[in-house]
Amino acid sequence: MEFLFDMPVRLFAQQNAVEKHQEEFGKYGKRCLIVTGHNSAKACGALDDVTKALDNQGIAWKVFDQVGQNPLVSVCYQGGREAIAFGADFIVGIGGGSPLDAAKAVAAFGADPELTPEGLYQPHRLSALPLLLVGTTAGTGSEVTRFSVLTDDKGHKRSWGNASSYARASFGDPRYTLSLNRKFTLSTGLDAVAHALESYFSVEGDQVSQSFAMMALKLLLPALKEVWLAEGEPTLECRERLYLGSLYGGMAINRTGTAFCHTMGYWLSEEREIPHGFACAVFLPDFIQYTVPLAPEKAMKLFSALGMYAQELCDTIIMLTDAEYEPATDEELEGLLDRWENSPNMKRTPGSFDRQQQRRIAEKVLQKKG
Ligand code: NAP
Ligand code: FE
């Protein structure tokens, strides 16, 4: 036995979680900045539930709804200035991974007027306002992780996270995901599948992270097939399985981080506007084919739990993935290989996933060669 489990987030995962646990919103002060995206928090009912909970607790609140997809560090910095100007004691993030990740950074900028956008990435910088998160997609698992993925001033997506970036409490109510359209339901679900697979095979994994990854995949794959086959909207019960799967995926990557599919996929979101989940999923079949021979026993354990072999798993992922893009030019590919040189995600991938291996897979997926 040898494992590490560390997830210092109080997680309320159930229908009507915000209303049922509204006293959590009264614990961190009297003034709150709500950080969210442009529309969906209002449309799915989460913003209403949170503002009611804040009103009931006598908290003054203000909304910062400037967070777009692939959130910019500069927008988070602006959110931090708003938090300071408003005198916010704490931050509530509502949304998919983009607003939740942004809220983690706003909490840091809001706690320290001297903090610069580059300073955010310093691992030992630890001050942050208390943070509560309310998820509205079933994908990133950001509710339970320390990670925040932000786009810097070069247009590059970069992940950061430390002991200060965990939420004090998170609320996972699958009802909010009912308004997600088919494209984002599949893409966010595939992000969670990527978390589980990349974590399961990670060299950093242990029995606990692998168990979470396996539980995630057992929930996510059948539920995503149901979404794919359904004539109408997925049921709330199906949404619940997707949400739970995404939380388990988050608990797995909080231990291990992600591997090469995430790092390589970032470019497809930055330069080709492919949603994050699809951008990672296009690499998963190659990830499976590369990894399984390096860890055959571990792979067999997974496949027997899932009741499917590698080829069927790859075919299912390909069926669920919708990603059309212009292939990368040779110049773009060389730039990426340079950028990936010191990526920790490549080191977490089993085997020696060196520049040559990276080139082989990048040419195949990003340049559609072979
Ligand atoms: P997202 O970028 O937060 O949202 C995608 C789209 O879905 C937006 O248009 C959003 O609208 C809409 N949306 C969100 N919830 C909705 C709902 N309930 N009903 C209808 N529409 C809704 O998507 P995401 O996949 O959850 O997050 C992706 C981001 O998370 C990426 O930047 C990725 O790099 C990052 N990520 C983070 C982690 C982590 O551990 N922290 C892990 C993986 C990925 P609005 O703009 O109106 O909100
Ligand atoms: Fe992800």
Side-chain angles (χ1 to χ4, degrees), residues 293-332:
L294 296 169
E297 276 180 36
K298 209 169 160 184
M300 277 313 293
K301 205 169 144 194
L302 178 67
F303 296 144
S304 64
L306 297 180
M308 60 169 82
Y309 283 105
Q311 193 53 53
E312 193 184 342
L313 180 54
C314 293
D315 291 346
T316 304
I317 290 165
I318 290 166
M319 175 184 91
L320 298 169
T321 305
D322 179 8
E324 290 294 325
Y325 50 90
E326 262 310 287
T329 61
D330 289 344
E331 199 186 346
E332 284 173 323

Side-chain angles (χ1 to χ4, degrees), residues 166-221:
Y166 286 107
R168 300 288 176 100
S170 285
F171 300 81
D173 182 344
R175 289 179 315 133
Y176 299 143
T177 66
L178 285 168
S179 51
L180 261 183
N181 64 23
R182 181 184 166 87
K183 172 179 155 189
F184 279 109
T185 301
L186 291 172
S187 177
T188 51
L190 282 168
D191 182 25
V193 167
H195 295 162
L197 281 169
E198 289 174 61
S199 177
Y200 184 80
F201 287 104
S202 168
V203 297
E204 309 262 337
D206 56 36
Q207 319 63 331
V208 174
S209 60
Q210 284 160 22
S211 301
F212 278 122
M214 202 183 269
M215 290 197 295
L217 290 166
K218 281 166 86 168
L219 287 163
L220 292 164
L221 291 165

Side-chain angles (χ1 to χ4, degrees), residues 98-215:
S98 299
L100 300 193
D101 288 3
K104 292 175 185 179
V106 172
F109 288 124
D112 179 359
E114 308 290 310
L115 182 63
T116 61
E118 193 49 42
L120 183 72
Y121 294 94
Q122 301 305 317
H124 302 301
R125 181 207 49 76
L126 284 174
S127 55
L129 295 176
L131 172 70
L132 303 177
L133 295 178
V134 180
T136 67
T137 61
T140 68
S142 183
E143 297 91 328
V144 297
T145 72
R146 63 189 179 283
F147 302 123
S148 160
V149 186
L150 302 175
T151 301
D152 67 15
D153 56 7
K154 292 193 195 115
H156 292 172
K157 283 171 79 79
R158 280 165 68 191
S159 173
W160 69 281
N162 58 34
S164 74
S165 49
Y166 286 107
R168 300 288 176 100
S170 285
F171 300 81
D173 182 344
R175 289 179 315 133
Y176 299 143
T177 66
L178 285 168
S179 51
L180 261 183
N181 64 23
R182 181 184 166 87
K183 172 179 155 189
F184 279 109
T185 301
L186 291 172
S187 177
T188 51
L190 282 168
D191 182 25
V193 167
H195 295 162
L197 281 169
E198 289 174 61
S199 177
Y200 184 80
F201 287 104
S202 168
V203 297
E204 309 262 337
D206 56 36
Q207 319 63 331
V208 174
S209 60
Q210 284 160 22
S211 301
F212 278 122
M214 202 183 269
M215 290 197 295

